[in-house]
Amino acid sequence: RKSVVLSFPVSGSVTLSNGAQAMTVRTLVNGSGNLLPPGVGNSPLTIGASLTVAPNQARGQYSGSFNLTVNYQ
């Protein structure tokens, strides 16, 4: 049986920013359930996470990026 393994960055190593303001992303998880192997069909990829939000965090749009490794075994 083949499987797909997702590898996320270490918790706390991803930051979302909005100018001088920032929030730390913690505990990235795969919310997609079972992913289909390549060639079998389409599998939507849903990723969830927890954010560390400061008590006086400024409102606004925060953005950032991270690497996601998808390993088909």
Side-chain angles (χ1 to χ4, degrees):
R1 180 172 183 192
K2 307 282 186 191
S3 64
V4 177
V5 177
L6 303 178
S7 298
F8 297 100
V10 174
S11 181
S13 67
V14 176
T15 302
L16 302 180
S17 61
N18 175 8
Q21 296 288 316
M23 289 188 280
T24 302
V25 178
R26 303 210 180 271
T27 320
L28 285 156
V29 295
N30 171 17
S32 306
N34 294 328
L35 297 174
L36 296 173
V40 175
N42 295 326
S43 289
L45 181 62
T46 305
I47 298 172
S50 298
L51 288 175
T52 301
V53 181
N56 295 319
Q57 190 79 46
R59 293 181 183 211
Q61 183 173 339
Y62 290 74
S63 61
S65 62
F66 61 90
N67 292 323
L68 170 68
T69 302
V70 179
N71 185 358
Y72 173 60
Q73 300 178 344

